[in-house]
Amino acid sequence: MSSSQPFLQSSPLSQLHSGGGLRKSRFTYKHLSQLSLSSTTCPLRVIAHIDLDAFYAQCEMVRLNVPEDQPLAVQQWQGLIAINYPARKFGMNRHITITEAKKLCPNLIMQHVATWKEGDEKWAYHKDAFAQIATHKVSLDPYRLESRRILARIKETLPAPPLQKVEKASIDEVFLDLSAQIHSILLERYPELSGPPPYDDPTENLPRPPTTALDWNTDALVDLDNTETEDDDPDWDDIAMQIGSEIVRGVRATIRECLKYTCSAGIAHNKMIAKLGSAHKKPNQQTIVRNRAVQQFLGGFKFTKIRNLGGKLGDQVVSTFGTDQVTELLEVPVEQLKFKLGDDTGSWVYQIIRGEEYSEVNSRTQIKSMLSAKSFRPSINTFEQAVRWLRIFAADIFSRLVEEGVLENKRRPKTMNLHHRQGGQMRSRQAPIPSGRSIDEALLFEISKTLLGQVIVDGRAWPCANLSLSVGGFEDGPTGNRGIGGFLVKGDEAKAMRPTSRDVENPDSALESGRPGKRQKVDEGGIQKFFAKRDSSRGEHDDEFGADEEIPALLHHSSSVGDLEASMEKKENEVQNEKDDKYQLEMNLGSSKNTEAPSTRTIPTIVPSHQTSIETYLCTKCNTSLPTSTKAEHEDWHFAKDLQDVERPVAAASSGTKPSPLAPNGGGSKKPATVGAKRGPKKPGGVTEGKSVEKGQKRLVFGR
């Protein structure tokens, strides 16, 4: 956001020389770079905290359109939960009764909060709500709705992310990390900062700002520390803080003009000091706590006012060191704090009272659970009464789930809990929220009734003094998912993709017109491209796996084929055995036409990209193609076979018989099949009686 006030234009670097040397800042180019990244450790960082003034009271003033100087208080039953600033001038606070408030300010407007009436499906403002505690339940939905409007307006006023970082801290307060936006404005106003650092060294110091005085407008400026003076020229952290104050002033003015709400703000180096600053001057003001004023600012506080130091830890520190003042605790050494409070807690307290805090501004604060409850006075006694309240609880919770983005599936709860108190006994039941269904009031109400039924079945449930319903286990919804409809085409698009009869008859014309044509089926697609073609003759196992393809021996030997399932292994063995038998038969017959020999087999040359290519070689002795990795073993097998033929005269006599084509790795040799019409009874020597031997064979003689 640009500044609404005049500022001194920066000077060229040549004008920044003083005494023959360039004036230097105590901040570096690295710090400037960290500012653009909204780093939590950047010393130039600027955080703002915006707090709506008496928010509930303002909501009612805007709704009722009452004058800003009209005293007004928000009533809940017989107590006060919010008092506007005109009413506070009469000495009222939230701890007084309605009667006392009327005495202090007779013209005070008492507006009761909206309530859910038993049996109704929508909250409303009821004139007699304060007297109907037994049948009404408080609703804060009107304030939640206004809070959403204000937050949306703040985000519209600021630049888009990533320059924008907004954290909703509660229903009436937000944190802003202005660092990245301020960085962009600094480069625009002071062009000398946009260049590279000298010697390309990011640790080089920045030049000093050309501005010698800053106009803080009407901001409440905290006095500097005792060691600092206003006569010192401002450095870049002061410039950044002043730009931050301009941005916040514009945001507050927009909220005031568009929505008629006033708010206060604190601008500082971190979230802790910014929050303390927003409460320093109220209403409708903003406080600037410069880095040089932190100790002066914190010195006037009790440390129990600091976030996370107001509960048990704060009480422990007070009882241990006998003080609740920041200035007195500053004198305690860090070693003593660690010894008394523990290392981690002692170190944290030491840093926090010195204004050192590095928490990040989170664009989304995750809610862990939501609760809607009612204490009954008098107690309720029937199932029907309880069900009417469960309907109210379900509507109340659902309205808050909408704020969490349940309709957009950004976040959703996983479980629902029902708590039931009867006398001094508390019972609880839990159920999961179905993940496959959209969350709405009806679903929440249905689950809550089921849980109430479980409580009633388990034992005595009436009279019931308290009933509450809660949801929890929030999780982020899936992103980037598409329903099944996203994968389908509909309407004109589907018609355009549908081929006509003409396209089917002439696929080329369909392609020319841009429509998909009917493709002719080819054999090379899919896993078939890894298999060799079979000859026209079929084996006995062809019908089991298809007659047009055959699993090659190459894949059978490959140890890297991970895509073939175990169910294929049996077929491979059967096909291989069939080839072995056929080849051995041809060897015994002395066939000269070796059409089925492995050497003439077509070995696939296409190997899947995820498999390792296997090299093969052709054995000249048995005319078989085998993997190269088995060459040495296969040759050893031939050597042993030849040696056996030499040493055994009987085997030498039958040297015309060729060895089995398979090496030992291939599964062992097969016995040759004897060709004949019939087999006769065998002689003890193993010679078969019957027909004479076939051509190319010799009868072996045994027993000599």
Side-chain angles (χ1 to χ4, degrees):
M1 178 187 296
S2 339
S3 171
S4 58
Q5 65 177 33
F7 63 91
L8 295 177
Q9 189 67 31
S10 60
S11 306
L13 288 176
S14 58
Q15 299 179 11
L16 298 178
H17 288 75
S18 176
L22 189 65
R23 298 167 56 202
K24 293 288 186 178
S25 165
R26 62 189 180 94
F27 301 103
T28 66
Y29 283 88
K30 180 180 179 180
H31 295 149
L32 185 64
S33 176
Q34 289 177 334
L35 185 68
S36 66
L37 301 175
S38 300
S39 171
T40 58
T41 59
C42 177
L44 297 174
R45 184 187 189 210
V46 177
I47 304 297
H49 179 262
I50 297 179
D51 186 14
L52 276 297
D53 300 321
F55 180 54
Y56 291 177
Q58 273 204 92
C59 288
E60 299 300 343
M61 292 174 67
V62 171
R63 183 180 69 86
L64 299 173
N65 195 27
V66 300
E68 292 186 358
D69 59 352
Q70 169 64 49
L72 180 144
V74 178
Q75 179 182 356
Q76 179 177 317
W77 313 133
Q78 297 300 318
L80 302 178
I81 62 172
I83 302 171
N84 69 357
Y85 284 90
R88 295 183 189 186
K89 295 178 180 179
F90 292 87
M92 287 187 288
N93 58 61
R94 290 182 295 177
H95 302 291
I96 64 175
T97 64
I98 304 297
T99 304
E100 292 173 336
K102 282 290 187 180
K103 289 180 179 179
L104 292 173
C105 182
N107 65 334
L108 176 70
I109 296 177
M110 305 289 294
Q111 175 59 54
H112 199 280
V113 297
T115 57
W116 298 85
K117 185 179 179 181
E118 183 182 11
D120 289 352
E121 296 185 3
K122 177 68 177 176
W123 54 264
Y125 284 93
H126 301 277
K127 293 183 178 180
D128 60 343
F130 65 92
Q132 305 298 328
I133 189 173
T135 57
H136 286 233
K137 178 189 178 303
V138 169
S139 173
L140 300 180
D141 282 359
Y143 311 135
R144 294 192 185 101
L145 293 173
E146 289 302 293
S147 177
R148 290 181 211 166
R149 292 180 61 209
I150 295 170
L151 181 62
R153 180 63 62 177
I154 291 174
K155 291 182 177 181
E156 290 173 4
T157 306
L158 297 172
L163 296 184
Q164 177 189 124
K165 292 193 71 174
V166 179
E167 174 186 332
K168 182 180 178 182
S170 71
I171 194 172
D172 63 346
E173 56 182 335
V174 296
F175 283 106
L176 310 177
D177 190 336
L178 305 173
S179 303
Q181 184 179 354
I182 290 172
H183 176 268
S184 65
I185 296 175
L186 279 174
L187 298 186
E188 178 184 342
R189 295 186 182 180
Y190 305 95
E192 61 267 25
L193 297 180
S194 59
Y199 318 110
D200 290 328
D201 183 3
T203 61
E204 282 286 325
N205 293 82
L206 294 167
R208 292 282 294 189
T211 305
T212 58
L214 297 175
D215 181 9
W216 297 99
N217 206 294
T218 58
D219 297 340
L221 201 62
V222 174
D223 293 337
L224 297 176
D225 297 341
N226 295 332
T227 58
E228 304 285 344
T229 65
E230 294 290 354
D231 295 333
D232 297 333
D233 289 341
D235 208 338
W236 290 114
D237 59 339
D238 297 320
I239 302 292
M241 203 74 68
Q242 192 253 355
I243 295 174
S245 71
E246 297 173 10
I247 297 172
V248 175
R249 192 180 303 114
V251 171
R252 292 174 50 238
T254 300
I255 297 173
R256 173 76 162 165
E257 178 181 354
C258 299
L259 303 177
K260 300 181 180 180
Y261 289 96
T262 65
C263 50
S264 301
I267 299 99
H269 174 62
N270 56 44
K271 292 171 70 175
M272 180 200 74
I273 301 176
K275 183 174 175 62
L276 292 174
S278 65
H280 186 61
K281 295 286 186 179
K282 287 175 96 44
N284 198 26
Q285 297 186 63
Q286 64 184 44
T287 301
I288 313 298
V289 185
R290 292 168 288 178
N291 292 349
R292 296 183 291 161
V294 170
Q295 291 304 316
Q296 176 69 24
F297 179 66
L298 291 179
F301 282 95
K302 295 180 178 180
F303 60 75
T304 52
K305 297 292 184 181
I306 298 176
R307 185 181 180 185
N308 296 326
L309 270 176
K312 294 182 179 180
L313 177 58
D315 295 339
Q316 180 185 356
V317 174
V318 171
S319 62
T320 302
F321 298 98
T323 181
D324 60 359
Q325 296 295 321
V326 172
T327 52
E328 296 180 8
L329 197 61
L330 285 171
E331 300 174 359
V332 180
V334 63
E335 292 79 9
Q336 188 174 352
L337 288 171
K338 289 182 178 181
F339 178 76
K340 297 287 187 180
L341 305 175
D343 288 347
D344 293 339
T345 303
S347 298
W348 180 82
V349 171
Y350 181 84
Q351 293 178 346
I352 208 73
I353 61 177
R354 286 165 173 78
E356 300 174 15
E357 192 261 346
Y358 305 99
S359 60
E360 185 178 3
V361 172
N362 297 314
S363 298
R364 178 69 252 175
T365 302
Q366 302 293 349
I367 294 177
K368 297 180 180 179
S369 63
M370 292 180 180
L371 172 71
S372 185
K374 173 68 176 176
S375 294
F376 303 111
R377 297 191 294 266
S379 300
I380 59 176
N381 295 281
T382 65
F383 176 77
E384 290 72 18
Q385 283 181 296
V387 167
R388 287 196 291 268
W389 284 109
L390 289 181
R391 184 178 295 279
I392 291 176
F393 296 164
D396 185 22
I397 290 177
F398 180 71
S399 67
R400 283 182 273 167
L401 288 175
V402 171
E403 184 178 354
E404 281 295 296
V406 70
L407 296 180
E408 298 83 11
N409 204 27
K410 293 179 180 178
R411 296 192 77 216
R412 59 178 290 145
K414 294 190 295 184
T415 59
M416 173 179 285
N417 293 272
L418 178 75
H419 299 277
H420 174 282
R421 182 162 60 86
Q422 190 271 327
Q425 183 179 10
M426 177 69 75
R427 297 172 182 164
S428 300
R429 293 295 180 270
Q430 183 183 85
I433 298 175
S435 58
R437 292 182 57 181
S438 299
I439 295 181
D440 54 20
E441 285 187 40
L443 176 62
L444 299 178
F445 179 55
E446 177 186 333
I447 299 174
S448 66
K449 281 201 304 181
T450 302
L451 294 176
L452 179 61
Q454 294 175 5
V455 171
I456 295 174
V457 169
D458 287 346
R460 184 179 177 185
W462 317 111
C464 175
N466 180 277
L467 198 62
S468 67
L469 192 68
S470 65
V471 293
F474 279 83
E475 61 182 359
D476 294 332
T479 57
N481 287 359
R482 291 192 297 171
I484 191 172
F487 296 93
L488 306 177
V489 291
K490 304 176 182 178
D492 296 337
E493 186 179 359
K495 293 179 181 178
M497 295 181 63
R498 184 181 302 152
T500 64
S501 58
R502 180 180 177 183
D503 295 334
V504 175
E505 295 174 0
N506 188 4
D508 294 336
S509 64
L511 292 175
E512 291 175 1
S513 63
R515 299 192 302 271
K518 185 176 181 180
R519 296 187 299 173
Q520 184 178 1
K521 183 179 179 181
V522 293
D523 293 335
E524 287 76 15
I527 195 171
Q528 287 79 8
K529 67 181 180 180
F530 298 109
F531 301 146
K533 291 290 184 181
R534 176 183 285 272
D535 292 344
S536 58
S537 60
R538 297 185 180 181
E540 60 179 336
H541 300 290
D542 287 352
D543 293 337
E544 295 178 25
F545 290 87
D548 296 331
E549 55 268 350
E550 180 177 79
I551 302 175
L554 173 61
L555 293 181
H556 178 66
H557 284 284
S558 173
S559 61
S560 63
V561 183
D563 294 337
L564 298 180
E565 298 293 334
S567 62
M568 300 289 289
E569 295 180 0
K570 180 179 179 181
K571 176 59 185 174
E572 291 177 339
N573 294 334
E574 291 173 348
V575 173
Q576 186 62 55
N577 292 341
E578 178 193 354
K579 293 194 297 180
D580 294 345
D581 292 343
K582 187 181 293 185
Y583 180 75
Q584 186 63 47
L585 176 60
E586 292 172 348
M587 291 295 100
N588 293 338
L589 292 174
S591 175
S592 60
K593 296 180 181 180
N594 192 13
T595 57
E596 287 293 321
S599 61
T600 63
R601 294 282 182 177
T602 302
I603 299 176
T605 57
I606 301 176
V607 180
S609 59
H610 65 280
Q611 299 178 8
T612 305
S613 178
I614 303 177
E615 299 180 359
T616 62
Y617 83 101
L618 181 65
C619 177
T620 57
K621 293 184 179 182
C622 61
N623 200 27
T624 304
S625 294
L626 296 169
T628 305
S629 60
T630 64
K631 180 178 180 181
E633 188 175 3
H634 185 73
E635 291 179 350
D636 290 344
W637 184 84
H638 276 294
F639 177 77
K641 183 66 176 174
D642 294 342
L643 184 61
Q644 183 185 37
D645 292 342
V646 172
E647 292 180 350
R648 293 177 58 187
V650 177
S654 59
S655 58
T657 303
K658 291 188 178 182
S660 171
L662 289 181
N665 260 10
S669 60
K670 301 283 183 179
K671 290 185 178 181
T674 305
V675 179
K678 285 186 178 181
R679 291 176 178 263
K682 292 185 178 181
K683 290 184 178 182
V687 180
T688 304
E689 290 185 349
K691 277 193 172 185
S692 59
V693 296
E694 296 288 337
K695 182 180 179 179
Q697 293 184 338
K698 293 183 180 180
R699 187 182 300 279
L700 300 181
V701 182
F702 297 92
R704 291 184 181 181

